[in-house]
Short mmCIF file of all heavy atoms in Angstrom, two decimals:
data_model
loop_
_atom_site.label_atom_id
_atom_site.label_comp_id
_atom_site.label_asym_id
_atom_site.label_seq_id
_atom_site.Cartn_x
_atom_site.Cartn_y
_atom_site.Cartn_z
N GLY A 106 6.74 -27.41 35.17
CA GLY A 106 6.93 -27.49 33.72
C GLY A 106 6.35 -26.28 32.98
O GLY A 106 6.61 -26.08 31.82
N LEU A 112 14.45 -18.86 30.37
CA LEU A 112 14.31 -17.52 29.80
C LEU A 112 14.93 -16.49 30.75
O LEU A 112 14.53 -16.40 31.90
CB LEU A 112 12.84 -17.16 29.61
CG LEU A 112 12.09 -17.84 28.46
CD1 LEU A 112 10.67 -17.35 28.42
CD2 LEU A 112 12.81 -17.57 27.12
N LEU A 120 11.05 3.60 34.07
CA LEU A 120 11.63 4.69 33.30
C LEU A 120 12.63 4.13 32.27
O LEU A 120 12.69 4.58 31.12
CB LEU A 120 12.32 5.67 34.26
CG LEU A 120 12.56 7.05 33.73
CD1 LEU A 120 11.28 7.63 33.12
CD2 LEU A 120 13.01 7.94 34.88
N SER A 130 12.01 3.71 18.98
CA SER A 130 11.03 4.24 18.04
C SER A 130 11.61 5.42 17.29
O SER A 130 11.25 5.68 16.16
CB SER A 130 9.74 4.64 18.77
OG SER A 130 9.93 5.90 19.41
N GLY A 195 -17.16 5.01 -10.52
CA GLY A 195 -18.16 4.79 -11.57
C GLY A 195 -18.78 3.41 -11.48
O GLY A 195 -19.32 2.89 -12.48
N THR A 276 -10.26 -19.44 -23.84
CA THR A 276 -9.97 -19.91 -22.49
C THR A 276 -9.61 -18.73 -21.55
O THR A 276 -9.25 -18.95 -20.41
CB THR A 276 -8.72 -20.88 -22.50
OG1 THR A 276 -7.57 -20.14 -22.92
CG2 THR A 276 -8.95 -22.05 -23.44
N THR A 283 -3.16 -2.78 -14.19
CA THR A 283 -2.94 -1.68 -13.26
C THR A 283 -2.77 -0.40 -14.08
O THR A 283 -1.96 -0.35 -14.96
CB THR A 283 -1.63 -1.91 -12.46
OG1 THR A 283 -1.63 -3.25 -11.96
CG2 THR A 283 -1.48 -0.95 -11.30
N GLY A 289 4.34 3.99 -13.38
CA GLY A 289 3.83 5.35 -13.15
C GLY A 289 3.29 5.93 -14.43
O GLY A 289 3.14 7.16 -14.56
N MET A 301 -10.68 -5.54 -26.44
CA MET A 301 -10.12 -6.77 -26.97
C MET A 301 -10.45 -7.94 -26.04
O MET A 301 -10.83 -9.03 -26.49
CB MET A 301 -8.60 -6.59 -27.10
CG MET A 301 -7.97 -7.48 -28.15
SD MET A 301 -6.18 -7.22 -28.18
CE MET A 301 -6.02 -5.78 -29.19
N GLU A 419 -4.47 15.89 -8.98
CA GLU A 419 -3.65 16.86 -9.74
C GLU A 419 -2.32 17.10 -9.03
O GLU A 419 -1.26 17.18 -9.64
CB GLU A 419 -4.43 18.15 -9.94
CG GLU A 419 -5.57 18.03 -10.92
CD GLU A 419 -6.52 19.22 -10.92
OE1 GLU A 419 -6.44 20.05 -10.01
OE2 GLU A 419 -7.36 19.27 -11.82
N TYR A 440 11.44 4.95 -19.22
CA TYR A 440 10.25 5.32 -20.01
C TYR A 440 9.94 6.78 -19.70
O TYR A 440 9.23 7.07 -18.73
CB TYR A 440 9.08 4.40 -19.66
CG TYR A 440 9.38 2.96 -19.91
CD1 TYR A 440 9.74 2.12 -18.84
CD2 TYR A 440 9.30 2.42 -21.17
CE1 TYR A 440 10.05 0.78 -19.08
CE2 TYR A 440 9.60 1.08 -21.43
CZ TYR A 440 9.95 0.27 -20.36
OH TYR A 440 10.26 -1.04 -20.61
N CYS A 444 4.77 11.42 -16.40
CA CYS A 444 4.35 10.32 -15.49
C CYS A 444 3.05 10.71 -14.80
O CYS A 444 2.56 11.82 -14.93
CB CYS A 444 5.45 10.04 -14.48
SG CYS A 444 5.76 11.39 -13.32
N GLU A 512 26.40 12.94 -7.75
CA GLU A 512 27.78 13.50 -7.91
C GLU A 512 28.77 12.69 -7.05
O GLU A 512 29.88 12.36 -7.55
CB GLU A 512 27.77 14.96 -7.50
CG GLU A 512 27.19 15.86 -8.58
CD GLU A 512 26.72 17.21 -8.06
OE1 GLU A 512 26.94 17.53 -6.85
OE2 GLU A 512 26.08 17.94 -8.86
N GLU A 519 33.22 5.13 -2.94
CA GLU A 519 33.36 4.31 -1.71
C GLU A 519 32.37 4.81 -0.62
O GLU A 519 31.90 4.05 0.21
CB GLU A 519 34.81 4.25 -1.21
CG GLU A 519 35.40 5.57 -0.73
CD GLU A 519 35.69 6.59 -1.84
OE1 GLU A 519 35.58 6.28 -3.06
OE2 GLU A 519 36.00 7.75 -1.46
#
Side-chain angles (χ1 to χ4, degrees):
L112 286 181
L120 201 49
S130 78
T276 65
T283 312
M301 206 182 277
E419 288 168 348
Y440 301 100
C444 67
E512 284 159 6
E519 66 290 350

